[in-house]
Amino acid sequence: MTQSSKLIASVTLGLLLFSGCARRSSDQTNSLQIKGSDTMVNLGQAWAEEYMKQNPGTSIAVTGGGSGTGITALVNSTCDIAEVSREMKESEIELVASKGAAPKKIIVALDGLAVVVSPANKISEMTIDQLADVFTGKIKNWKEVGGRDAKIVLLSREVNSGTHVYFKEHVLRHGKADGKEEFAAEALLLSSSQAIADEVAQNQDAIGYYGMGYITVKEKALKVAKEKNSPAISPTMENVMSGAYPISRPLLMYTKGEAKGLAKTFIDYVLSPAGQQIVKKLDFVPVKPSEQSK
């Protein structure tokens, strides 16, 4: 290659690199990638749609796949915001921090995990202990908890789901950090909350769990009692907000370091009265300003 050819090639490459950098910079200014929790995906999409209506020219893509998927994407810088339905583990916090900046947690809504059965199932309430025994396989037949003589069909979210992790830690293990309880081997691991809802709706002997925003008339949400002699509480907005319902959790967004640019303005919108009204509309529980940065 002649000297002049080398110079032309060098200049051309430089222009291409400059063009690529400029395009990425523009994307970072005008677009967001949000990934993570399937419990939160519909909520995230509703926020994004309304925000884009009010701010033409912005592009916000929201995808699910589970809380673990969102955290991995945040580690790899393939998303700007991770939607997560559980607290990050210490190892995950350290991994994100090692890739640039410590993760910043924002509470964006509250949720009650509903335990659901078919409306044809005569069982209407259970204790936390009973639920733990059912999902670990100690109780295998509905007659053991007052139902008909039929094998219980266990439905669970897959292991990458924050909902799966939360239910295991707070129901199966009763919140004990050193708990070892696991879901029964025969539990069917389904890829989404909707898949669980669909199966429960057509299977009289199935039992599953998901965020209460997915409850429809096709499933029956059980009342849950914290202990044997405690009142059984329904998973309603009021009961989650008051703390009376025993299987409640915060829904979170994580950013790598303090949110900036479009990520910050979007999160500000999510936490605004208008954003929290969408939370309520989708049957999740709004958070008070004092709770948002806990």
Side-chain angles (χ1 to χ4, degrees):
M1 184 181 288
T2 65
Q3 285 295 111
S4 60
S5 296
K6 289 180 179 178
L7 179 60
I8 291 171
S10 178
V11 171
T12 301
L13 178 60
L15 288 171
L16 286 171
L17 288 172
F18 177 80
S19 173
C21 289
R23 183 174 64 254
R24 285 193 296 272
S25 176
S26 174
D27 288 345
Q28 289 170 354
T29 301
N30 299 313
S31 67
L32 278 181
Q33 287 287 338
I34 301 173
K35 296 182 181 180
S37 167
D38 282 318
T39 296
M40 297 176 67
V41 68
N42 290 341
L43 183 55
Q45 288 170 350
W47 278 325
E49 287 171 9
E50 189 58 35
Y51 185 90
M52 288 187 290
K53 279 182 189 177
Q54 297 178 19
N55 298 272
T58 59
S59 174
I60 303 174
V62 182
T63 54
S67 295
T69 297
I71 293 169
T72 298
L74 195 66
V75 169
N76 296 330
S77 297
T78 55
C79 78
D80 304 289
I81 297 171
E83 289 188 322
V84 181
S85 59
R86 61 169 173 82
E87 297 277 346
M88 265 194 192
K89 300 172 185 175
E90 193 60 38
S91 59
E92 293 168 333
I93 292 172
E94 291 173 358
L95 186 56
V96 174
S98 73
K99 297 291 184 177
K104 171 70 175 177
K105 178 183 78 174
I106 307 101
I107 300 174
V108 294
L110 302 175
D111 184 26
L113 280 190
V115 180
V116 291
V117 296
S118 164
N121 192 323
K122 70 178 185 178
I123 298 297
S124 59
E125 61 183 59
M126 295 177 74
T127 66
I128 292 288
D129 283 343
Q130 287 176 320
L131 290 174
D133 286 347
V134 166
F135 280 93
T136 56
K138 292 179 182 177
I139 293 176
K140 297 181 180 295
N141 193 297
W142 281 112
K143 69 180 180 181
E144 297 178 67
V145 289
R148 74 191 194 113
D149 185 3
K151 182 181 178 182
I152 297 173
V153 178
L154 294 176
L155 307 177
S156 171
R157 287 297 312 281
E158 57 194 1
V159 296
N160 194 44
S161 160
T163 304
H164 172 107
V165 172
Y166 186 89
F167 196 85
K168 178 171 68 176
E169 292 179 349
H170 292 267
V171 177
L172 275 59
R173 297 179 178 176
H174 299 279
K176 297 175 182 176
D178 58 349
K180 304 297 182 185
E181 292 81 3
E182 295 288 344
F183 285 93
E186 60 267 28
L188 303 176
L189 303 183
L190 302 185
S191 61
S192 69
S193 297
Q194 190 58 55
I196 289 178
D198 292 343
E199 181 63 22
V200 166
Q202 58 89 38
N203 189 334
Q204 183 177 348
D205 299 315
I207 184 171
Y209 60 90
Y210 48 61
M212 67 182 196
Y214 280 86
I215 300 171
T216 73
V217 294
K218 296 180 181 179
E219 309 92 40
K220 177 170 67 174
L222 298 180
K223 294 180 180 179
V224 177
K226 191 172 183 179
E227 297 171 347
K228 186 176 180 180
N229 296 321
S230 301
I233 307 297
S234 296
T236 65
M237 187 176 300
E238 293 75 19
N239 290 337
V240 171
M241 191 174 292
S242 70
Y245 184 67
I247 318 177
S248 302
R249 59 179 175 170
L251 298 180
L252 311 166
M253 284 183 172
Y254 281 95
T255 56
K256 192 181 286 186
E258 293 288 341
K260 298 177 182 177
L262 181 56
K264 183 181 186 308
T265 57
F266 178 71
I267 291 171
D268 287 345
Y269 167 73
V270 165
L271 298 177
S272 72
Q276 290 299 296
Q277 189 61 35
I278 292 174
V279 171
K280 195 171 181 179
K281 184 177 179 181
L282 269 65
D283 296 321
F284 293 101
V285 179
V287 287
K288 301 172 185 175
S290 60
E291 298 172 324
Q292 294 166 356
S293 59
K294 283 184 180 178

